[in-house]
Structures are given as structure tokens and as C-alpha cells.
Amino acid sequence: MQRTRARSAALASGLALLLGSTALTLPSLAFAQASEQGGVVQRIIVEGNERIEQSTVLSYLPIQPGETADPAKLDLALKALFRTDLFSDVKINLMNGDLTITVVENPIINKVVFEGNSGLKEEKLRDEVTVRPRGIFTRAKVQADVQRIVELYRRSGRISATVTPKIVELPQKRVDLIFEIDEGPKSGVLRVNFLGNKEFSDNDLRDVVVTEQTSWYKFFSSNANYDPDRLEYDKEQLRKHYRNRGFYDFRVISAVAELSTDKNGFVITYTLDEGPEYKFGKISVETELQKLDKDLLLQLVPIRSGELYQDQVIENATDSLTFAAGAAGFASVDVRPRYVANKETKTVDVVFQVREGPRVYVDRIDIVGNSQTLDYVIRRELNLVEGDAYNRALVDRSKNNIRALGFFKEVDITEIPGSAPDRTNLQVKVEEQPTGELSFSAGYSSVDQLVLDLGVTQRNFRGRGQDVRARISVGSLRQQLDFSFTEPRFLGRNLRAGVDIYSYRYDLTDYSAYQTSTLGMNLRAGFPLTLNSSMTTRYVIRSDEVKIDDSYCDPASPIVSLSLCAQRGSFVTSLVGYGLHLDRRNNPINPTRGFSADLSQDLAGLGGDVNYIKTDVSAGWYHGFNKNFILSVTGQGGYIAGWSGDTIRVNDRSYKGGNSFRGFETAGIGPRDTNNSRSDALGGRAYAIGSVELTIPTFVPEQYGIKAALFTDFGTVGLLDDKDKLCLVSRAASPSIGDPGCVVGQPDPLIFDDLSLRATAGLSVFWKSPMGPIRFDFSQVLAKEAYDKTETFRFSTSTKF
């Protein structure tokens, strides 16, 4: 009981001390006294200090012994001591040459306590306030922190929250600081109304603004409460929405939030002036730079007269012109659009003025946020160095280069004022993400085929950007063991070199009656050709062995095609090849604009037992309508042909299906031998597959990490060598099983090789689950051949570290 009374008395005393001095925010003479008389200071005496050394106090004084002190100097000394925040009261007196300084020290904060907070976590409050344990207590700091906490609650929708600071005095000039919080009710949004809108309904505009109406099912939403700052953001969102749909004169007249009579929420009303719909009029480019052809620049502007007016298109055009000027060697270019609105014709003329801005040089480049990746790994991706003229185009390319590494979740390059007006510092801010991957994948087909893969990958080994991969695959279809190492800067040059060592064993007896095993090694090197293109060269040597059960290949009564049996044996392949890569995407990880293309060719026959030329091409085009709807169109194709009289062996042909053609099993499409119940897949020498995919909103809170896309895949696989389609043993017709029979040397009617179109459509769902990203594919076949093998569901997953 006595302790409680003592604590209450101390709390009341501290509260009275704090509240009785709330008017004190700046030092003033109401709490200090200074002698009005001047004179020569013989000595300086400090009184009242307990923790602070006398020498520390003297170090803040602008007066030294032997100097003359007048009222102005004494006032300056008084203010200097108050500015230190070390003292709650200071008195200065000069008498008989003694300058006496009497101080009352501010207490030290023992601990900071938050009481009554349930809507906001204590960690968030501690991050917001500036007072800290073992720091100096000042009333001004506490009052400022009270306002910060109130503002934090206001932004979370609790506008009636109040914060009362209290102190408990402790021995040795220490205090406990307590913030007593009354959070009050959460101020929801009862209704969002719009006045003056004719072109778009209220429901349409509610999807534009961020503020949401409070509903019982929106317990995950942080926007279903009233926030005055959010109203300003909403006004900007409305402006963007209308001006990107032709309403050049649009404006928000007012945004008013009214508290309901029962004070349980707000009604927000936006008053709009839509104005008429405009189209683009005359588009032109003006430039004073002789090396820039304005007619050529005009062709880069993605705007045509008569099109609907859009702000976003103008921004894209400005970026295109700035990038083009930077690529032409102009390090600093100022592109400004000038608008001329014609209310009679409802058109907007736009003149892009291209001027050379003041030349600015890069003073320093700082890299922050890289906790694992070494600095030089990031710096070598930059297209600028310290001392270069600032070039926005090169900065954008540098950002894309760093993103393309795949090491970072976020990459941002910002300008910071340098040491002079014509100098700028660049801060490269990155946020590391897991670059190691422990992957597990599984596929399920209509014939109960399950394949499991386990792999370990580190794409940023030791933070040096080196790529190390090891993989083990165990399943009824494939057993695989491989290891690869890639050095991105071989010998310190812009040369990507690596080696792959692998051993594969494919058991295709369920698909094509044969087994194949491979042991090989690849040596490769890649280098850039231009800023957007690169080339890769390689040498491959491997040994392949094809096995088929002897009982299947009895010439008297073969169970499988004798042309397939002829593939048995071991062969060595020695080849050289190259690959060309062109990348014009705006983001190499999640592209929303641009395209990419790849070309690869291999020549086998420089030694070894196999002779062929193989060509593969692939390309992709991307267009984002908004963050929810992103369209991608991708395609791939390939062709392989033997030379020096060789035909293409079964293990060198193309097999498509599974992940490469959704809706079909692995090797589910293409040439097939139906002489047996297994219907052996033979693979094809040519293939062409296209895919169209559109991401769609899932209406699930973003924090769940669930995305979806509609897709359609279409294409074909086929074109066997004529020799591989011949009947090697005569076979009598058997109408009971639909076998028309065949004659030696004639095409076997049970070997199908139709380059017909196959097509599927479906839904892919992507989920960033706690165990890693998971993908589900649900497919419906639209076009197929009777002998194709389909699957309607497939999933895969991986986890990262």
C-alpha cells in the first residue's frame, strides 16, 4: 500500500511538472535569470550539475575567463546552454568577476512505456517516437512525440485517439516516461459518393479511388477507414483516370468528409467537373539540337492525331524522346510537352520541346542495402562511372541490368545533390532476396505418372554473382544428376563462362519402349554484343546409349517398330553451337512492355558418331494494360536435319508436352507408333508452339500472394525421316484390332506423323505460399489427334533460402 501511494505521489508530481510546463517549447528568460550588469570575467563557477561534468558545461559557453561579458554575451550564453537540451533551467549571474552558472539538469529516461495500445503494435510506436531509454528527457521532445503518435493513429483510421504523457520520478535524476493511449473507435467509411459524374458510374469510380467503404468482410483491408491524406491521393487517382480517357478539362472541385451523427463513420463526397471529351490534334516536335532530327524524333512519339487524349501516352512519349536523345549522346536533355487545347474542335495540340539541359556530372555512386552481394558485383552492371556526365538513358539501363541479375527484390537508383550545382550523387538502393533455391516439383497426369525433382541452386555464390547448381531427379520417367558452375566475369572481363557436367537416364518404356542414358560435359562462354543483345558459344561432348528389350525387337514378331529397334546402341556426339539473345523488355523479371528473342544453332559432327544441324528460335512480346491485366504472347520453334547421310536419332528429336505444352502429357503430342498398346512416342524433327497468356485479378488481398492467368497453347510437332516410317517386316492385316497390315519398304500405316494443329486452353494459378511458390495448371484440350495423350492438371512447387 505504501509503495502504491509513493508511486501515485511521484506520478502526480511528475504529471504536474509536465503539464504545468506545456507552454515551454523554447528556452526563455521566464525560467532563467542573467545579470544585467557587465564586467570582466575572472572565473566561471558551475553549480547544480550532478551528472554533467563542469568542463562539458564550459565547452558550450561563448565566454572565457579574462573576457568582458556584456548583457548580449550573457544572453547568448544562456541560449547556448538551453540549446543543448541538457538543462531544464539555467541561471547566469556575474558578480565581482565571478560568473556563476546555476543549472537544473534534465532527467535521464529510464524506460519508455506504452499503455492502452491494442490497434498498433508497440514496435511500431517505438519506431515512431524519438525519445529513447538512456536519452535525455525534455518536454519539447515528449510533446512532439505525442503529436507523432496521434498522427500515426489518425492515419490508421482512429481520429479520436488521445495520448497523455506521464512521468514517474526515480532516484538519481531518472524518470520513467509513460504514454497513456486512448485509441478510441476506428472511424470507418460508411459511404463514398460522387457528384457531377456522368460518363462513369459511382461503382466505376469507387474502383478508381483507394478509399474503400467499410464492410464486414474487409477485415484485411487497411483502406476501409478515414484518412485525410488518402483523400488527396484519391483526387490524383481520379484525375489520372479521367485524363487518361480523354477528359482534358477534368478537375475535382472538392472532397468532403462528413462525420455521421452517431460518430461511427464518415461519408465522403467527391464533387467532379468532368468536362467534354478531347482527342489529340496536331503532334509536333521542336528541338534546337542540330544532331537530333525532329522528324525522326516525331516517329518515336506513339501518338497520332484523332486518337483519344491520354496523359499516360504523353508521359510515355516524353520518356521515349528522353531515352532516344540520351542514346544519341546527349547526357542531359529536357523534354517538355506544351499543350494547346481547342475547345471548339475538342482537340489538344501537343508540342514536345526538346532542349539540352545543364550538363551534370556524376560525383559519387553509393550502393546501399546489399547485405550479401559484394559491391563490385553491382558496380560492374552500371553503365556509368564516377566522373561521367549524367545520362538518364544509361541510368535506366543500369537499373535493368541490376534487376536482371535476379538477386534483388527491389532496385532503385536515385539522385542526391552533389558537392556542387553541376554535380550529382547516385544512390543505388537494393533489397536482397533469396538467391538460393531448394526446389521440389511434381507432375500428375491422366495415367498416374508422378515425377519428383530435387535441386539445390545458389545464383549468387558467396555474394560474387557466381551461379552454382546441383540437381537430382528421381522418378519413374527420369533419373538425373547434374552440376554446373558459371562465372559471370571470367578473367575479369565481360565474359560469362561456365561448365556443365551431367548424367541422365530416361526410362521411356511407358511412352516409347526405350531407355536412354547420357553422360556428358558442356563448355560455354557468353558475351554482350550491344546493350540489349548477347551471344553464347558452346562445345558439347556426350555419350548416349539407347536400350530396348531384345524381346521387343524379334524380327519374326516385333512388338515395337523395327525402325525404333534400329536406334539401339551407344553413340558419341561432339558439337559446337552458338546462341543469340535480344532483350528489349522493360523489366527482365516481370515484363509489362517490350519483347525478347533467341536464336540457337548446333552443328554435330566435329568428331563423334552423329551428324546433324539443329536450329531453335523463341520470342516473346509483352503488354500491360494495367497492373492486373498483362498480356504475353510467346512462341518457340525448332528444326533438326541430318547431314552426311545421317538420319536423326530418337534421343535427338523433340518431345513436347507437360510444361512445354500444357494439357498434354510429357511427350504427349507428335509422331507415334501405334503398333502396340503403349503407342510409342517417336519425337519429331520439327516443332512450333505458341502461347497467349493474360494475367487476371483474383480479388484476393495482395498479401496472400495469389495470382492467376488465362492461357491458350497451340502448335504442332512432327516430321520424321522417311526411313523411320517404313515397314521393315511384312504384317498381315488384322481387322479385329484395326491393323491394315503393311509391306516391307512401304510406309507403316500404324506410324502416325501428322503436322496437325493441337490447341489447349485453361487457367494457371500462382501462389506464393509459406513453403514456396506453387503453380497449378488446369487445362482443356481444344484440338488434338486421336493418338495424342492428354492431362488436365499439373502442379509444381519450389522453396527458396
Side-chain angles (χ1 to χ4, degrees), residues 679-722:
S679 293
D680 297 328
L682 301 178
R685 293 194 299 120
Y687 70 93
I689 299 174
S691 180
V692 178
E693 189 168 285
L694 177 67
T695 63
I696 57 176
T698 59
F699 305 105
V700 176
E702 190 172 348
Q703 57 265 35
Y704 286 115
I706 297 178
K707 297 183 178 180
L710 299 174
F711 71 85
T712 177
D713 292 346
F714 48 89
T716 188
V717 181
L719 203 62
L720 288 173
D721 286 309
D722 292 339

Side-chain angles (χ1 to χ4, degrees), residues 743-781:
V743 178
V744 174
Q746 297 297 317
D748 190 333
L750 294 184
I751 295 180
F752 293 92
D753 181 18
D754 299 316
L755 280 173
S756 58
L757 179 68
R758 279 82 160 181
T760 61
L763 172 69
S764 291
V765 179
F766 312 89
W767 176 31
K768 289 185 178 180
S769 72
M771 62 178 288
I774 295 178
R775 173 172 174 162
F776 303 91
D777 292 322
F778 304 88
S779 307
Q780 176 64 46
V781 176

Side-chain angles (χ1 to χ4, degrees), residues 426-456:
L426 296 181
Q427 184 184 77
V428 182
K429 187 176 182 180
V430 298
E431 182 181 349
E432 298 268 12
Q433 68 177 357
T435 55
E437 182 174 327
L438 178 63
S439 63
F440 166 78
S441 65
Y444 175 79
S445 73
S446 57
V447 292
D448 298 327
Q449 179 68 53
L450 183 65
V451 179
L452 303 177
D453 290 317
L454 178 65
V456 178

Side-chain angles (χ1 to χ4, degrees), residues 287-440:
T287 178
E288 299 173 355
L289 305 177
Q290 296 181 355
K291 293 183 179 180
L292 292 178
D293 186 347
K294 64 180 182 180
D295 294 330
L296 181 59
L297 292 178
L298 183 60
Q299 295 180 13
L300 300 176
V301 176
I303 305 174
R304 297 295 177 266
S305 297
E307 293 179 348
L308 191 67
Y309 174 86
Q310 298 179 63
D311 269 359
Q312 184 61 50
V313 176
I314 295 177
E315 292 179 13
N316 294 341
T318 301
D319 290 341
S320 298
L321 293 176
T322 302
F323 189 89
F330 292 91
S332 181
V333 172
D334 183 21
V335 179
R336 294 188 181 183
R338 189 177 74 244
Y339 307 89
V340 180
N342 191 325
K343 294 186 177 181
E344 287 75 19
T345 60
K346 301 297 186 296
T347 58
V348 179
D349 297 338
V350 183
V351 180
F352 292 93
Q353 297 176 318
V354 182
R355 298 190 180 99
E356 185 171 14
R359 191 172 290 270
V360 177
Y361 296 90
V362 178
D363 206 1
R364 192 177 70 250
I365 300 177
D366 298 321
I367 299 175
V368 297
N370 53 321
S371 57
Q372 176 182 347
T373 308
L374 301 180
D375 268 21
Y376 77 86
V377 174
I378 301 174
R379 287 186 183 275
R380 67 193 183 192
E381 301 299 329
L382 299 174
N383 294 122
L384 297 99
V385 297
E386 294 164 345
D388 284 356
Y390 176 82
N391 188 314
R392 180 181 168 186
L394 296 181
V395 170
D396 290 343
R397 287 172 181 167
S398 300
K399 182 188 291 188
N400 274 340
N401 290 346
I402 299 173
R403 281 177 177 167
L405 292 174
F407 303 160
F408 309 108
K409 185 185 301 182
E410 296 289 341
V411 178
D412 190 29
I413 302 180
T414 56
E415 299 176 51
I416 299 175
S419 58
D422 64 340
R423 298 280 176 173
T424 186
N425 297 328
L426 296 181
Q427 184 184 77
V428 182
K429 187 176 182 180
V430 298
E431 182 181 349
E432 298 268 12
Q433 68 177 357
T435 55
E437 182 174 327
L438 178 63
S439 63
F440 166 78

